[in-house]
Structures are given as structure tokens and as C-alpha cells.
Amino acid sequence: MPRWFLLAAVAAALAAPTDADPLTVVSWGGSYERASKRAVMAPFTAKTGIEIQVENYNGGLAQIRAQVETDNVYWDVVDMDFADMVRGCDEGLLEPISVDALPPAADGALAAADYMPQTVTDCGQSQLFYSTVFAYKRDNFGAQVPTTIADFFDLGKFPGRRGMRRKAFSNLEFALMADGVPPDHVYAALDTEAGIERAFRKLDSIKEEIVWWAAGAQPPQMLADGEVAMSTAYNGRIFNAQVLEDQPFVVVWDGQLLDTGGFGIVAGTANLEAARQLVAYAAESKTMARVSQYISYGPTRHSARPLVAERHLETGTPMAPHMPTSAPNLVRALHADWEWWADRGDEMNERFAAWLAR
Amino acid sequence: MAGTVIASRRARLRAAALTLPLIAFVGVTFIAPLLSMLTRSVYDPVVADALPKTIALLRVWDGGQLPPDETFETAAAELLAAREERTLGQVATRVNRIEPGLRSVITRTARKLARVETDSWREAMIEAADAWAEPSTWRAFRRAGQSITDQHYLHAVDLDRDGSGGVVAQPESQRIYVSLLGRTLMLSVAITALCVLLGYPIAYLIARAPPNKGNLLLLLVLIPFWTSLLVRTTSWIVLLQSQGVINDTLVALGLLGDDERLSMIYNMNGTVVAMTHVLLPFMVLPLYSVMRTIPPQHMSAAASLGASFARSFWRVYWPQTLPGIGAGSLLVFILSIGYYITPALVGGRTGQLISNMIAYHMQQSLNWSLAAALGGILLACVVALYLLYDRLVGVERMKLG
Amino acid sequence: MAAQPAYVEFDAVSKSYDGVSQVVRDLHLTVREGEFLTLLGPSGSGKTTCLMMLAGFETPSGGAIRIGGRAVDDVPPRKRDIGMVFQNYALFPHMTVGRNLAFPLQARGMEKSAVAERVQRALQLVRLQGFEDRRPGQLSGGQQQRVAIARALVFEPDLVLMDEPLGALDRRLREEMQFEIRRIQRSLGVTVVYVTHDQTEAMAMSDRVAVFNHGRIQQVAPPEVLYEEPERPFVATFIGDNNLLHGRVHSVAEDICEVAVDGQIVKAFLVAPLDVGQEVSLAIRPERVSLAPDAGLYSNEFEVRIEDTTFLGDHLRMQTVVCGSEFVIKIPNIIGHGGVLPGDTVRIGWTTTDCRALAPDLGPAD
Ligand SMILES: Nc1ncnc2c1ncn2[C@@H]1O[C@H](COP(=O)(O)OP(=O)(O)OP(=O)(O)O)[C@@H](O)[C@H]1O
Ligand SMILES: [Mg+2]
């Protein structure tokens, strides 16, 4: 057999047609990924015939940046938090997605007007509200249970280890609120050096008792294992552990940190068309509302609000008490300021790392 | 005669050609990335490339008052162009590292400028963000515009430049790398010492045991070596964690109360214990290979010459194993100062090493230049150590087995 | 020699490493003060084991070893004050020659100046002055050997053990070193127990040789006695060439006996008492056999056919068969005895005293 033939065969095998590939969607694992598959991806595949393969990550832009910079893009769509979406868009890591190209609401309202404030970028739109809260296991405490974010930092009243995310984000906010800063003054306080130092000092007070987590699936596990007495967590993860695994977890909504997230398309993907279809499908009001049948995350379009599930599809649990956007839960809520984090994130993370290492 | 010379030359060339794939492989997988890393640590042309004219104007600016209108005009035009080309985010990131807070200023300004028509770009920019009225903003741009920069290396040793360009220490709250490097070196020394302490008797036992028993012992050392690093590290977690086997046993035996469980992992202890285990074979193997070459008669001879066991050991056996200790220590030390996975898994907060910080900057903060500078410093440490070893012991005396 | 008192005594010593097979059995041996005694035997016969027991690196399984009249069972090697030369020298490669020699002196806490002086004397003894700053790796094999000997002697032990110290040297150097070792031993008057499996070396150096086989001493005697008067077949054949004939005792008269070998009668000298009818081996040195042109010259005479001849310079070696056994004859190369060709039939003969009726070997079984 001539040598060139072999080479050609190998080359052909390597350059296999890309349009037959499934769409690679990157999500967060665990119960959120499960909900996203059932509410968004599976119906999308049923409707369009486009297969989806799911991969996993813990946020951040590093892997996306590596793929884009080396021109070796194998992720197509990434489920990302809003700050990453803004920054990825600025840095050219994401494909532009015009909000005008998205489907209008059922009543005909244009998408641009239908989205809530602070949920739209040039490269994608948030689909969901989720929240970082803290939770504990009911049977770890007697009559006196933690009810405020200040209790999370009160080792005297509630001894035991604390689980926290190994990032500056959320921890600085919690620390200030626990130290008595009202939610709507938190970022103003963080704009001053004194405020930042105050936050770190508050964190200092429980530093030795903190167990750090990285992936969203860890906190429910750590609570269940008794590794920690309380932990910060994504509210949906705690919810799923409560309803699907019957874990006696209690969420404390005081001082919850609201954030949003949605799909972005990695710049340079070979599956751009399919990726766009998925994003458009996910942006439909009824799709984003459908997620709430599986996990307690709320939609970001006004028109999706009335469509939110009243009960959890699999267990019949009423959803309202578990949604971060329910009025009673919003009493002392803080909305994450992505612009502040875009500006100060690098610096805060560096200070956080320095603080951690000390 | 001439024919044989040519023939032998050709044979030599052919032999050399056989090593070409290896050389190419090493070049592509080692030298090139190394060079690109070192380059990245001092060369950062993002801002200079995106805003060339602005940077040129800022270079001749005195830095005291606000720059002239021309600079504003050029900057506005180039910021808009960068937004079009979608390099603005990188520019903003780079400038933001020098002066935190400027990222949103830059992106916001570009977004707003795209929608205005104006004669005075100065006013338009200051209107978009107050920061443009501060000379410090422009100084940050000027500094970010230096393609060749020592900023990352300064940063990597907790230094910075102040407004006037002088080198100053970072504020207390942001100093981290020097102490981390110190901790890394200290832990590496501790791990190396532990490896010697534990590895020496093992290697001695293996070398002195009859062959079949020796092989079995060697196998026991090697099996962990062949097991996945993750599996080994995870098994340390199972053993050492607060609800782990050791603590459970101690509590069950009543030696500890349930609330006094020892924290043996997720801290410096965890890193030291797990890394010592992981790196032990790198000490045992060179030691064993050196000890195997020492005839057992030496100890008998020393005894017959009237020396006690201690004397025989320290004067006769120990010095002959020094090349093995040197080789093993060098290996273990160099591996441990660059180790990453084990401390990441079991190091908790206080058991992190400089390599974890490098990984952090590679993967999370995306500050690759700083990661490269830290890597450069680590590399310098390794090279320095190697030279020191060569100077003191002589590398040719090193026996790796 | 015989006047010297016993210095080392093995008293019914036995040794087994595994508790089953005896490597050394029921060993009785006396080494006299100032004597050069060699343990000679084939590989695996237990020589090194004996030496190691003496040095204290192995403990006897039975019996006792005495040095200077004192039992040494519980004296550790380093307290026995025995110089030892190992087969592979066991010089410490990381020390210079000088420091190698100083090692045993420092171990004894000797003063610095005394050490230096002793080292110099030892170097002088082995003719290696000026080599003290070299390392063992920078010396030739023979020089290393000398250093090893010097190191075993430098602390002036009364007893020196050497285990095949010349095994690694080539023949010429070996002969030179044999002489050298003997010279040093004589000049110091030190007692030496020497191990070798080379019979020429043993013969050349020793005052007495103990021939080992199967962990037993077959015979202890000065070299000439071993050669001239071997007592057992193993010794007879291990040392020098010998012809062995096997037969049954036919009659005994004082120290002469007649032995029936393959139907023929051979007259032999009795080494040990024998009964009529007992099986016996006869040993006849090949050079003690003569070509006998005239009958009646020798008490033992046979007509034989020469199978083969080999010219070996100083002598002629002839292959033949006597009483059904292979038989070798060595004829000195003196004019008058040439001219015998393979196929010739000749008459050979030897005297009764040159034909020894031996005691049986001490075997492994009993
Ligand atoms: N440490 C030991 N363990 C078990 N058996 C041993 C040991 N040392 C020697 N032997 C056995 O004891 C027997 C005698 O060994 P020894 O070393 O004394 O023989 P040797 O006469 O010195 O032989 P060579 O001339 O080959 O050195 C051998 O069969 C040997 O296998
Ligand atoms: Mg031996």
C-alpha cells in the first residue's frame, strides 16, 4: 500500500466531519446539572435532534481562555455566572449573542424589554436567579438554631466548623453583613480600604474553623457527613438534598447573595449554529420557567415569572418557600454587584489568597 | 582510507539522525514551552499593541498634569477600535492589575463613546468616567504600555512600583509570595529530611536482605510508586481526616474524646505526610542502588578492625551512601518545590505551596504573566540548587540508580 | 615449631546454618603460636565458615573455640583483636590509604602522633611508603592487597586471618605476594590462619595445612608430610597427582599388607591398621613408578600396554591400565627412557613403601 494512502487515511480520520458531533455543553455537575438536562437539554434534543454531551466545571474563564487562545475549542456552550459572562465577552472569549435575536415573550414583548435589569450582556443573557445562602443540618442543633448571617460567624453561640467557598466572592459580602453592614451598603463599604479590612477581620474570627469548598456539590455532602456544622451553599443544591434525599437541612435566607447565570457560546466553536439554537431555546420564557420544576432557581424574564412551577415535579413539594426570589426570602437579600467584582475581583482574590495562606 | 573515513562519518551522521525525533520532541514539549513561559513573564505587549499611539504620546508626557487633548482624542479612537476588535477586555484586565477599578472605567467608557458624537473627547471621556480626570489613570496606562516589564517579577517577590516608578514593598495585606516561597522551601527541606530519615533504613534493609526478601521489600516500595497519585492521596484522606480511620480508631480506643479529633490533614501536616509518602521511592531507589554496590564485608571489616557498630556505620557505611543521599535529596527536593496535586488535595489552607499559587494564577485569576514569573523564580531556585550541588558534591558523583 | 604452645583451639566445633545440614562437623584443630596454618579444601567445604567462627562473625552450633586459652563464645568480633584480610580486600574506598590504615588505631583511641608513626611503619612493612594519600581505587590489585594486609597488621594483632586473599590476582603477582606474605609473617612472628583452595599456594606458604572436605579435616600436617604420607584417598588425590587402586586386604604382616586388586596381588605400606577382607584404597604417585626392563627389581611389577603418551618437557606422561584401573606414569626426561610409543607393552614397577594402603575418607554421612 502506498505510503501516502496511509497518511491520507489518517488525515481523513483526524478531520472527521464536525457537524455530526454532539453539542458540548458545560455545566456545574450535581443536582443543578440534572435539572438543566431535564428542563432544557433533553427537550431541546427532542425538538431539534441535536445531541448534547455534558461536561463539568466549577466556573471561571481559564479553560475557555485556553481553548480560545490555542484555537482548539471543544466546548461549545458554557453555563456561566454573570460576572464571567461580562468579562468573557469583554475579552473576546465568547460569541456575541444579540438580545434582539432572542424569542419575544408570549404576549409579544420584545426580549430586550422582557429581561430583568443586570441580566443581559452582548454575549448572552442570564436565565436563572440563584443564590448563595447558608444552611445547617437540623439535628445538629437543639432549641436554639441559627437564623441570621451573624449567627454563621458566631462561634460562641454556635460552635462547629463552617463550610465556605474558596473564593473572595460571597465571603466578603457575608462577612460585612454579619458584622452589621446592611445589605444595600455592602458594596459601598467594600469600596473603601477600611471596609475591605473589616471584612477580612470578620473572616479572621472564624478562619480556623473554615473548611473550604470548590464545587457546588460539596456543601450538601459536607453537611450530611457532619464535616461542618454550617456551610454556605447554592440554595438549589440544598433544596435538592432536602427533597430528593430527605436531608434535614435548613436554609437561612438572611443575607442571601443573589446572582444570575446563563449560557455563553465559546468564540470560535465549530457548532455555532446549533449552539445559537440552544441558547435561543433556553431563553424562551417557558423553558427557563421549566427549570423551577426541578430545582429552586427562578427565571430572569418577567414573562417567565407567572410560569414558575408551584410544586416540585418529582416530589410535589411547594416551590415558593424555596425560591430565592420569593418575597419573604428577599427581605435581607443582596444582589451581587458584578461590576464591582469585575473591577476589584483580581485584587480581592489576590488579597484573599494572601489571607488564606497566612 | 578516505573511503573508510567517509563511511564512518556517514554512520555517525546516521546514528545522530536517530536522535533527531527525541531532540525534536524535547524541543517541542520542553524547551519551547519553557522559553514561551519565560518570555511571558517579562513581555506583555497587549496594551502597547492595542493602543500604540496613545502609549507613544504618554511616553513623552511629564506625568504631572492631565495629558493634552491630543492624547484624549487618540485614546478615545484607539479604545473604540479595541472594542471593535474585542481586545478591549485584555487591555482592561492588564490596566486593572496596575490600578484596580479601571476595568469598568475602560469598558464603560468605550461602550458610551461608541454612542456619542463630540468635538471634545476630553469632556466626553471625563463625562463617561471621572477617572479620566485623574493623572494616575494615565500613569497606569503608561506603565501598562511597557511591553518589556519587570512588574511581574516585582510582584512575584511582593514588590511594586509606586507612582514615581520607585520600587516599594506591597501593602502588608497583599504580601504573599515571599512567605509562600519560604514555606515551600521549608516544607521541601522537611519532606526531604523525612524522606532520608524514613527511606534510609528501608533502603538499608532492602540492600542487606537476601535477594528474594529484598525483592519483595522493593516491590512494597514500588507498588505505591505504580499506583495512581490520586488514589494514594485519596487514601491518605481516608486515613487522616477528622472522621478518618486513625481518628476513629483513637476515639474508639478512648484515647481521644469525640471532640478532640486530631487535624492531621487539610493543613501543613497533611502536605508533609502525603508528599513524603509520594516522594519516598525517589529517595529509596537511588539510595538502594548505591547501597547495593557497598560490599557487606565493609561492615565486617570495620568490626574486625575494632570499631563499634556506630563507628563502623558513621565512618564506613554512611559516607559511602552520601552520593545516594545527595541524588535522592536533590530529586525529592526539586520535585517537592514544584509539587502541586498533593498539596492541592490535602494541604488545606496552610499546606499550600508556591506551585498551587502558580496553578491559581494559571487557572483562576488568569494572570499568566505572574504565573510565569513565579515559575521563573522556581526554575531559578532549582538551577541554583543544582549548581550548588555540583559545586559542593559534583554532579558526576550523583548516582540515580 | 612443635615446642610452641597452642594458641587457637577448635574443640569439637560444629556449625549448621539451617539446623539441618552440618557445614562443619566435629572439628578439632590446634593452631600454634607463630604458626602459619592453611585451611585447604574444595569450594563449599566449610573453610570460610571456620574462619568466620574464629573471627566471631558466626557462632558455632556446638563445641568451643579458644584463643590464648580463653573461650571466645561471647566476645564480639571487634573485641577479639584479630586482623582480617578479606578476599576482595574490603578497603574503604572513600578513605585514603593512610586513613584506611589509621582506622583500627583510631578505633582504639590511639594518639594522633602514634597513629601516624604506626601507619608509616605498616606502609614500610608492605613497601608502600608514599602511597598514603592515594585512594584504594588509584592502586593496582597487588598494591590494594598490600594495603589490606597492612591494615590487618597495623594494630599488631596476635592472630591474622586471611580468606583467599590472592584469589583475584594473576599468577605471577600471586606468587610474588605469597612470598611477601610469608616474609611479613616471619618477620613479625604473628600467627596466621590462611584459607585457600589452591594446593600449590598452601604448600608454598604454610607451616601446616589442614585439608578440608565435607566440613571435616581429613588430615593436618606440614606440606611435605601431606605429599609424602597422605592418610586418606581425598588427601592423596587433592594434593598432587596420584593413582588409586581399590581392592580387599588379603593378608597383613606388621606394617605391610597384601591387597587383592582385580584378581592380582599388590604389596603396600599400611597407614592405619586394617583387617583381612576389608576394602582399601591404594595410592601410588605417578613419579614413583619406574619402567623396569628387568624382572624382580620391584616388589610390585606389572606388564602393561601404553595407551597414550604426552611429552611435557621435564617429564613424559604415560596413560595405561593397571588391575583394571586407569593409571598414570610420569617418567623424568632423562636420556635412556625415551622411545616408548603408544601400543608398546612395557614392564612397570614400584616399591612397597611407595604404595600406601590408606584409611577411608571421612565422608559427609557420619
Ligand atoms: N550464611 C550462610 N547461610 C547458609 N549457608 C551458608 C552460609 N554461608 C555458607 N553457607 C554454606 O556452607 C557451606 C560452606 O560454606 P563456606 O563458605 O564455608 O565454604 P568455603 O570452603 O569457604 O568455600 P569457597 O572455597 O567456595 O569459599 C556451603 O555449602 C555454603 O553454601
Ligand atoms: Mg570461602
Side-chain angles (χ1 to χ4, degrees):
Chain A
M1 198 184 315
R3 228 178 279 176
W4 59 263
F5 183 87
L6 259 179
L7 283 178
V10 170
L14 287 175
T18 46
D19 47 357
D21 286 354
L23 198 60
T24 301
V25 177
V26 181
S27 189
W28 295 72
S31 51
Y32 171 64
E33 184 175 302
R34 182 170 167 275
S36 184
K37 274 180 183 162
R38 292 183 180 205
V40 182
M41 299 183 217
F44 173 76
T45 302
K47 185 177 162 196
T48 61
I50 298 171
E51 294 291 333
I52 290 177
Q53 177 188 327
V54 181
E55 293 202 12
N56 235 290
Y57 90 140
N58 286 322
L61 291 170
Q63 287 139 298
I64 300 172
R65 184 169 167 184
Q67 291 179 32
V68 173
E69 290 208 347
T70 58
D71 224 348
N72 175 28
V73 175
Y74 49 90
W75 286 359
D76 300 315
V77 176
V78 180
D79 198 335
M80 55 210 316
D81 61 36
F82 194 71
D84 280 343
M85 200 187 281
V86 170
R87 194 164 162 184
C89 194
D90 280 343
E91 297 198 4
L93 301 176
L94 300 176
E95 292 284 345
I97 304 173
S98 169
V99 68
D100 300 326
L102 297 182
D107 64 1
L110 286 179
D114 199 20
Y115 273 96
M116 297 182 193
Q118 304 261 332
T119 58
V120 177
T121 76
D122 291 344
C123 304
Q125 296 72 34
S126 284
Q127 280 138 237
L128 297 170
F129 274 101
Y130 60 89
S131 178
T132 311
V133 293
F134 85 89
Y136 61 90
K137 199 169 166 185
R138 184 67 193 79
D139 38 355
N140 275 356
F141 297 91
Q144 196 182 32
V145 296
T147 52
T148 66
I149 185 68
D151 291 340
F152 186 84
F153 284 78
D154 193 338
L155 289 174
K157 220 156 120 193
F158 301 101
R161 305 248 228 167
R162 306 293 199 258
M164 292 186 104
R165 189 175 180 197
R166 199 187 183 112
K167 282 219 160 165
F169 176 74
S170 78
N171 292 335
L172 297 183
E173 287 96 329
F174 286 141
L176 283 185
M177 287 189 281
D179 209 31
V181 178
D184 47 347
H185 288 92
V186 164
Y187 287 105
L190 283 174
D191 265 336
T192 65
E193 181 59 28
I196 295 168
E197 274 172 13
R198 184 175 172 187
F200 277 109
R201 263 202 313 279
K202 189 67 181 174
L203 285 169
D204 266 334
S205 68
I206 57 168
K207 189 175 186 182
E208 295 309 321
E209 293 295 321
I210 300 176
V211 178
W212 300 100
W213 56 268
Q218 282 172 290
Q221 195 61 45
M222 286 169 13
L223 282 171
D225 291 347
E227 181 81 5
V228 293
M230 315 177 196
S231 180
T232 65
Y234 299 127
N235 71 293
R237 308 282 182 151
I238 298 297
F239 169 76
N240 269 28
Q242 286 169 328
V243 298
L244 295 181
E245 293 160 25
D246 276 331
Q247 290 285 1
F249 294 162
V250 181
V251 169
V252 177
W253 292 101
D254 181 66
Q256 63 149 315
L257 184 63
L258 270 172
D259 201 356
T260 65
F263 286 145
I265 302 175
V266 181
T269 164
N271 298 323
L272 185 57
E273 211 25 65
R276 286 224 168 101
Q277 283 182 46
L278 175 64
V279 168
Y281 180 78
E284 285 174 23
S285 301
K286 58 179 193 299
T287 313
M288 61 169 71
R290 199 185 305 130
V291 176
S292 59
Q293 293 180 345
Y294 300 97
I295 196 163
S296 50
Y297 292 157
T300 52
R301 289 178 73 155
H302 294 291
S303 62
R305 274 288 167 86
L307 307 175
V308 166
E310 272 177 23
R311 286 175 184 280
H312 185 236
L313 186 68
E314 290 151 300
T315 61
T317 313
M319 291 306 287
H322 299 284
M323 297 300 268
T325 45
S326 297
N329 296 343
L330 281 172
V331 175
R332 256 171 56 87
L334 170 63
H335 199 299
D337 184 343
W338 59 266
E339 194 166 49
W340 189 88
W341 279 103
D343 275 345
R344 307 295 297 273
D346 285 339
E347 183 199 356
M348 286 309 121
N349 281 324
E350 220 152 278
R351 286 180 74 151
F352 181 73
W355 172 82
L356 258 188
R358 263 202 293 277
Chain B
M1 188 60 201
T4 60
V5 167
I6 288 170
S8 79
R9 178 116 136 266
R10 194 178 298 157
R12 266 210 307 279
L13 278 177
R14 199 174 300 158
L18 285 176
T19 64
L20 278 181
L22 176 68
I23 292 169
F25 181 77
V26 170
V28 169
T29 60
F30 180 65
I31 310 227
L34 198 67
L35 288 180
S36 109
M37 180 201 83
L38 291 176
T39 310
R40 209 182 257 273
S41 67
V42 290
Y43 182 67
D44 195 347
V46 167
V47 176
D49 284 356
L51 315 171
K53 293 192 195 123
T54 312
I55 299 302
L57 287 171
L58 286 175
R59 282 225 181 94
V60 295
W61 166 59
D62 68 359
Q65 299 294 311
L66 274 185
D69 286 348
E70 190 197 357
T71 314
F72 276 89
E73 220 176 294
T74 319
E78 287 186 329
L79 284 176
L80 282 174
R83 182 176 140 90
E84 279 302 303
E85 288 183 14
R86 315 196 63 212
T87 54
L88 192 66
Q90 291 168 30
V91 171
T93 303
R94 174 86 171 88
V95 178
N96 198 57
R97 284 213 178 99
I98 291 169
E99 181 89 16
L102 288 183
R103 170 196 291 282
S104 65
V105 168
I106 293 167
T107 49
R108 200 183 329 136
T109 305
R111 217 175 302 130
K112 286 186 179 162
L113 289 184
R115 293 191 215 111
V116 294
E117 286 293 327
T118 178
D119 301 329
S120 170
W121 290 100
R122 177 193 286 263
E123 272 167 33
M125 284 178 75
I126 294 175
E127 159 97 33
D130 301 339
W132 298 109
E134 303 287 339
S136 65
T137 302
W138 296 99
R139 282 199 295 267
F141 267 84
R142 186 166 67 178
R143 269 189 66 200
Q146 294 170 338
S147 298
I148 305 274
T149 174
D150 58 4
Q151 186 204 342
H152 306 301
Y153 275 102
L154 287 177
H155 206 153
V157 289
D158 292 339
L159 298 174
D160 203 355
R161 283 188 189 278
D162 59 13
S164 57
V167 174
V168 292
Q170 290 267 41
E172 182 82 42
S173 61
Q174 283 168 55
R175 279 180 222 160
I176 168 170
Y177 304 111
V178 171
S179 63
L180 203 56
L181 192 66
R183 178 200 286 171
T184 303
L185 295 178
M186 195 191 76
L187 282 192
S188 299
V189 167
I191 289 162
T192 309
L194 268 177
C195 278
V196 173
L197 230 59
L198 296 175
Y200 201 94
I202 299 173
Y204 182 80
L205 220 70
I206 298 174
R208 297 299 289 268
N212 52 346
K213 271 186 208 150
N215 285 341
L216 191 74
L217 283 169
L218 197 61
L219 206 68
L220 289 182
V221 173
L222 284 176
I223 283 175
F225 197 45
W226 294 332
T227 321
S228 150
L229 186 70
L230 280 172
V231 172
R232 276 188 289 165
T233 309
T234 318
S235 41
W236 278 112
I237 298 179
V238 170
L239 272 179
L240 298 182
Q241 65 189 352
S242 64
Q243 308 289 327
V245 176
I246 292 181
N247 266 316
D248 281 351
T249 313
L250 290 177
V251 170
L253 292 176
L255 295 173
L256 283 183
D258 201 23
D259 47 352
E260 316 170 305
R261 289 169 177 264
L262 305 172
S263 41
M264 293 177 288
I265 202 163
Y266 302 126
N267 53 26
M268 221 183 274
N269 295 345
T271 298
V272 172
V273 169
M275 276 183 60
T276 302
H277 177 234
V278 166
L279 295 176
L280 197 56
F282 292 97
M283 180 64 76
V284 172
L285 291 179
L287 264 180
Y288 164 69
S289 79
V290 167
M291 286 177 178
R292 215 183 32 182
T293 63
I294 302 174
Q297 282 93 330
H298 281 187
M299 288 295 275
S300 307
S304 82
L305 293 171
S308 61
F309 178 82
R311 191 183 189 87
S312 314
F313 181 80
W314 285 113
R315 294 295 187 79
V316 175
Y317 200 80
W318 172 260
Q320 294 192 64
T321 57
L322 285 179
I325 293 177
S329 301
L330 204 63
L331 263 180
V332 169
F333 191 84
I334 286 176
L335 282 173
S336 41
I337 62 176
Y339 228 73
Y340 152 68
I341 301 173
T342 304
L345 288 175
V346 301
R349 187 170 63 74
T350 51
Q352 299 296 304
L353 305 182
I354 194 91
S355 47
N356 299 101
M357 218 52 209
I358 295 177
Y360 168 77
H361 284 303
M362 291 298 296
Q363 294 170 356
Q364 315 235 337
S365 80
L366 304 187
N367 193 350
W368 289 4
S369 301
L370 180 55
L374 288 168
I377 288 176
L378 212 53
L379 183 67
C381 285
V382 170
V383 170
L385 191 74
Y386 179 85
L387 293 178
L388 188 75
Y389 184 88
D390 189 30
R391 189 76 181 275
L392 294 181
V393 188
V395 166
E396 71 285 349
R397 282 198 59 204
M398 180 156 71
K399 288 187 183 154
L400 290 175
Chain C
M1 269 292 139
Q4 294 293 342
Y7 185 59
V8 175
E9 285 166 284
F10 285 80
D11 187 2
V13 170
S14 63
K15 172 73 184 174
S16 171
Y17 285 107
D18 52 10
V20 182
S21 62
Q22 298 272 94
V23 172
V24 170
R25 53 188 88 207
D26 195 29
L27 184 84
H28 292 268
L29 179 65
T30 304
V31 186
R32 301 189 193 103
E33 224 172 285
E35 186 178 30
F36 194 116
L37 182 118
T38 298
L39 310 183
L40 173 68
S43 187
S45 56
K47 309 179 295 286
T48 299
T49 305
C50 285
L51 216 59
M52 288 301 158
M53 289 191 288
L54 185 49
F57 295 119
E58 296 288 352
T59 22
S61 317
I65 297 175
R66 283 185 291 274
I67 300 177
R70 259 187 2 156
V72 290
D73 292 0
D74 40 3
V75 182
R78 67 192 175 90
K79 298 231 170 102
R80 291 200 183 185
D81 232 16
I82 295 176
M84 187 136 184
V85 179
F86 290 82
Q87 181 160 5
N88 49 17
Y89 317 142
L91 295 178
F92 307 139
H94 58 292
M95 298 183 188
T96 61
V97 168
R99 293 200 36 222
N100 262 286
L101 295 188
F103 185 85
L105 305 176
Q106 285 162 346
R108 286 170 173 74
M110 197 177 276
E111 240 178 77
K112 228 175 161 191
S113 56
V115 168
E117 194 228 296
R118 286 264 200 119
V119 167
Q120 281 311 317
R121 251 199 291 152
L123 283 171
Q124 209 167 347
L125 185 70
V126 296
R127 309 178 205 231
L128 278 180
Q129 297 101 309
F131 283 74
E132 56 266 49
D133 291 330
R134 298 245 200 129
R135 283 178 193 266
Q138 300 164 320
L139 299 177
S140 73
Q143 288 167 336
Q144 291 182 30
Q145 182 57 65
R146 286 164 200 257
V147 176
I149 292 169
R151 192 179 63 178
L153 292 169
V154 70
F155 56 100
E156 298 180 355
D158 296 322
L159 177 61
V160 175
L161 312 182
M162 304 190 184
D163 191 359
E164 310 213 18
L166 307 182
L169 303 183
D170 66 41
R171 215 186 102 233
R172 225 178 53 78
L173 199 55
R174 197 155 63 212
E175 280 167 11
E176 202 175 292
M177 284 306 298
Q178 288 170 5
F179 177 77
E180 195 73 10
I181 290 173
R182 196 63 225 250
R183 176 184 68 79
I184 292 167
Q185 188 259 339
R186 291 236 171 86
S187 70
L188 297 177
V190 61
T191 310
V192 171
V193 179
Y194 190 97
V195 164
T196 181
H197 58 249
D198 177 347
Q199 48 132 332
T200 4
E201 190 168 299
M203 304 294 272
M205 301 177 77
S206 322
D207 294 323
R208 282 194 308 152
V209 178
V211 180
F212 266 68
N213 197 26
H214 299 308
R216 290 164 173 271
I217 294 180
Q218 305 288 338
Q219 188 174 353
V220 200
E224 0 16 295
V225 177
L226 276 187
Y227 190 85
E228 296 295 347
E229 298 164 20
E231 287 171 1
R232 300 177 200 278
F234 179 80
V235 180
T237 48
F238 194 72
I239 297 187
D241 274 349
N242 235 329
N243 291 301
L244 279 193
L245 300 175
H246 304 284
R248 247 172 231 290
V249 179
H250 185 258
S251 68
V252 180
E254 291 193 28
D255 51 1
I256 304 290
C257 65
E258 286 183 336
V259 178
V261 183
D262 199 27
Q264 288 170 288
I265 292 294
V266 181
K267 286 204 183 101
F269 176 80
L270 262 182
V271 170
L274 285 175
D275 295 328
V276 173
Q278 209 176 327
E279 285 193 12
V280 68
S281 299
L282 307 177
I284 308 105
R285 293 275 177 207
E287 73 270 20
R288 299 291 161 85
V289 179
S290 308
L291 295 181
D294 306 315
L297 261 168
Y298 296 98
S299 43
N300 292 304
E301 284 181 5
F302 296 91
E303 293 270 330
V304 296
R305 208 178 86 94
I306 300 298
E307 307 284 338
D308 199 5
T309 65
T310 318
F311 178 68
L312 286 167
D314 58 343
H315 69 268
L316 207 69
R317 189 185 149 90
M318 298 179 186
Q319 199 86 38
T320 179
V321 174
V322 172
C323 304
S325 298
E326 300 257 312
F327 205 89
V328 174
I329 308 166
K330 284 185 196 165
I331 306 297
N333 186 3
I334 301 165
I335 299 166
H337 283 299
V340 179
L341 293 172
D344 291 354
T345 300
V346 296
R347 183 194 304 277
I348 59 169
W350 61 85
T351 63
T352 307
T353 41
D354 283 334
C355 181
R356 298 173 63 81
L358 303 171
D361 275 333
L362 296 171
D366 42 83

